Amino acid sequence: MFCYQCSQTAKGKACTIRGVCGKEPTVARLQDNLLFVIKGISAYLYHARELGYSDNEIDAFLERGFYSTLTNVNFDSEEFIKLALEAGKMNIKTMKLLKRAHIDNYGEPKPTKVEVGASSGPGIIVTGHSLKALEELLKQTKNTGINIYTHSELLPAHGYPGLKKYEHLKGQLGGPWFDQKETFSKYQIAILGTSNCVLLPKDEYKDRMFTSGVAKLPGVEYIEDYDFTPLIDKALELPSLKEEEEKKTFTTGFGASTILSLSNKIKELVEDGKIGRFFLVGGCDSPLPQAKYYREFVSKLPDDTIILTLACGKYRFNDMNLGDIEGIPRLIDLGQCNDAIVAIEIVEALSKIFNMEIDELPLNIVLSWMEQKATAILWSLLALNMKGMYVGPILPGWANDDIKKFLVEKYDLKLISKPEKDMREMLR
Ligand code: FS2
Ligand code: SF4
């Protein structure tokens, strides 16, 4: 534990073995965990509020959750597990709210092929998660000759009809959040960061980078109230990009309605033994060497499997051509991390179609986590009683031995090991 939130703290520095107030280390870890989940929920709620959506029940939960971690309020090691599961349910509600906000504003996503690479002309790369900031920028750059490119978690924007209609939403540059320094140095155009996962910039592109919304970086100009004039002026000042000759493509934009419209066909293929198993492989990407696991894992999956994916973890394998099973693509990108709600809706629909409990479905979940939104999603899946999930690339640092024991005993949560070994276990 590490707690230094009150004046009683040990030696005026921090309580690290047990709280001077009597707080047990596992309670302290579970309080930290709750705060991480609350941060994740807040991120999704923030993006919903950007589009004018909010929810009193979620707000009230956030207040209660924060308050319960204040000094001398709650010392119960079971109550914090209940709160974490409740937070998981609140996160489901929040992701649903954000999905509604996205669909009401931009329409239901449709499967879309996105070109990866530069087109000729001036441009702006937009990174982060905010569809609202991207939309405002698309409106303000219409007929200016500026091409807009997505990066990282904004790739799924291309699937929404309300954003796709802008012809200057050209394509994607780069991949996951951590390739920013490389991608932003390579393409010498203006840059906009719209949410978390913005990295401290290199000096060489600081003066052509801007942030908006919650994102702020030292030495980088901040855009107030979606007035992108300085960013647009900078984009027009900078030299144009040259057309890249060889471009690859990513396919994104599979919404719940697209998948559910195929449910009869999917049922038939499962009953005929042509689809053997479903996998949900998704979450955050990170530069850890262990994250190579996910590509190897997906590449080894048998041909009769369908892989649902989401969030930036998909960049580990979304350039692979996995083909289709009688017209059903084997690799299905559901969108951003918050589109875990789409995966949940699909899993719930599969359980109805096959008349099975969720944990009886021919489905395995393999998650990658990096930041606190992934922690919120993990607790959402636990709140739905998903058992036997694999998580990686490493175990969350907040999980001490007591918490790990609980997660293993109650939910059979496993740490990823070797792709072949895990796959054999899952297919058994
Ligand atoms: Fe990835 Fe970063 Fe989306 Fe996370 S771009 S790790 O924020 O939530 O996913
Ligand atoms: Fe230490 Fe308890 Fe104060 Fe935290 S709240 S600093 S554990 S005495």
Side-chain angles (χ1 to χ4, degrees):
M1 69 179 286
F2 188 94
C3 187
Y4 58 178
Q5 70 184 11
C6 86
S7 71
Q8 292 189 98
T9 199
K11 297 180 186 155
K13 301 273 189 225
C15 299
T16 54
I17 299 168
R18 192 170 192 272
V20 172
C21 58
K23 198 196 286 182
E24 297 286 344
T26 297
V27 170
R29 297 287 189 115
L30 286 169
Q31 288 190 346
D32 292 344
N33 168 61
L34 181 63
L35 291 173
F36 298 152
V37 179
I38 283 176
K39 287 185 198 184
I41 297 173
S42 306
Y44 295 146
L45 203 54
Y46 176 93
H47 290 298
R49 195 179 294 277
E50 274 186 312
L51 291 160
Y53 289 66
S54 60
D55 183 287
N56 288 340
E57 194 194 358
I58 302 168
D59 295 346
F61 175 79
L62 294 182
E63 282 163 24
R64 186 155 58 85
F66 277 125
Y67 196 1
S68 63
T69 69
L70 197 137
T71 303
N72 298 342
V73 174
N74 187 340
F75 291 95
D76 189 338
S77 57
E78 280 186 30
E79 181 59 23
F80 276 104
I81 293 277
K82 271 195 215 146
L83 273 169
L85 290 167
E86 206 183 324
K89 283 188 193 142
M90 280 301 147
N91 186 50
I92 292 177
K93 196 164 194 239
T94 314
M95 291 190 293
K96 267 191 190 152
L97 184 77
L98 180 56
K99 189 76 222 175
R100 182 151 61 82
H102 284 160
I103 290 177
D104 287 355
N105 280 275
Y106 309 121
E108 273 269 6
K110 297 271 175 302
T112 304
K113 267 195 180 162
V114 182
E115 273 194 350
V116 186
S119 297
S120 61
I124 299 174
I125 312 179
V126 192
T127 191
H129 298 73
S130 176
L131 297 187
K132 169 73 178 168
L134 178 66
E135 181 200 18
E136 290 301 324
L137 181 64
L138 285 165
K139 281 186 200 159
Q140 292 172 40
T141 46
K142 210 174 161 195
N143 302 323
T144 59
I146 297 172
N147 294 323
I148 305 296
Y149 300 93
T150 55
H151 176 257
S152 190
E153 277 279 68
L154 277 173
L155 171 69
H158 294 271
Y160 287 92
L163 298 170
K164 199 174 164 175
K165 69 180 184 194
Y166 294 95
E167 283 174 15
H168 62 302
L169 179 60
K170 264 297 187 267
Q172 163 95 357
L173 296 176
W177 63 272
F178 61 83
D179 81 8
Q180 275 171 44
K181 293 189 182 180
E182 191 189 325
T183 300
F184 298 170
S185 301
K186 179 175 173 192
Y187 299 100
Q188 295 179 10
I189 54 177
I191 308 153
L192 175 66
T194 67
S195 76
N196 70 306
C197 284
V198 281
L199 296 178
L200 283 167
K202 282 166 95 170
D203 284 342
E204 67 182 78
Y205 61 75
K206 224 180 212 174
D207 68 333
R208 53 184 171 87
M209 183 160 188
F210 298 77
T211 61
S212 68
V214 76
K216 289 194 177 175
L217 294 168
V220 164
E221 190 169 339
Y222 180 74
I223 302 280
E224 299 276 358
D225 301 326
Y226 304 113
D227 177 1
F228 293 113
T229 312
L231 169 68
I232 294 168
D233 289 347
K234 178 59 78 180
L236 291 170
E237 235 173 64
L238 290 163
S240 289
L241 289 178
K242 290 202 178 78
E243 187 80 28
E244 274 180 309
E245 279 177 15
E246 297 216 350
K247 291 184 194 167
K248 57 179 177 183
T249 56
F250 293 142
T251 303
T252 187
F254 289 89
S257 61
T258 305
I259 308 294
L260 298 183
S261 70
L262 298 168
S263 54
N264 287 340
K265 174 86 182 161
I266 292 173
K267 187 167 190 257
E268 199 183 296
L269 291 170
V270 171
E271 284 167 354
D272 292 351
K274 290 178 180 160
I275 294 179
R277 213 161 177 80
F278 298 87
F279 287 83
L280 172 60
V281 188
C284 311
D285 200 359
S286 72
L288 291 171
Q290 295 95 317
K292 288 189 181 130
Y293 170 96
Y294 296 92
R295 186 177 184 89
E296 211 182 316
F297 178 81
V298 167
S299 67
K300 287 183 188 318
L301 286 174
D303 291 347
D304 66 348
T305 55
I306 298 280
I307 301 108
L308 304 171
T309 190
L310 49 91
C312 60
K314 64 170 155 273
Y315 288 108
R316 288 284 161 177
F317 47 80
N318 68 340
D319 59 330
M320 289 164 63
N321 181 1
L322 299 183
D324 65 282
I325 302 176
E326 296 198 7
I328 309 284
R330 285 195 56 224
L331 182 62
I332 297 177
D333 175 13
L334 303 174
Q336 297 182 321
C337 45
N338 37 285
D339 290 315
I341 193 60
V342 179
I344 289 170
E345 279 168 17
I346 292 170
V347 169
E348 286 173 342
L350 288 176
S351 113
K352 276 200 193 121
I353 296 168
F354 296 109
N355 199 19
M356 284 177 176
E357 292 299 320
I358 286 176
D359 59 357
E360 295 167 351
L361 286 171
L363 165 79
N364 288 97
I365 299 180
V366 187
L367 302 173
S368 52
W369 85 284
M370 207 290 285
E371 41 79 327
Q372 296 96 74
K373 283 179 272 168
T375 308
I377 292 169
L378 175 66
W379 282 99
S380 296
L381 296 171
L382 295 174
L384 290 169
N385 208 24
M386 302 272 192
K387 299 215 168 100
M389 292 186 287
Y390 286 70
V391 61
I394 56 169
L395 270 180
W398 49 259
N400 67 0
D401 289 344
D402 284 346
I403 299 172
K404 278 183 228 162
K405 191 165 171 273
F406 166 80
L407 292 173
V408 170
E409 281 177 3
K410 175 116 204 265
Y411 295 102
D412 192 22
L413 194 73
K414 301 165 204 277
L415 177 66
I416 57 165
S417 63
K418 295 272 177 266
E420 268 177 358
K421 178 176 171 289
D422 292 348
M423 195 180 69
R424 270 200 307 274
E425 241 175 59
M426 292 178 211
L427 294 172
R428 197 158 49 208

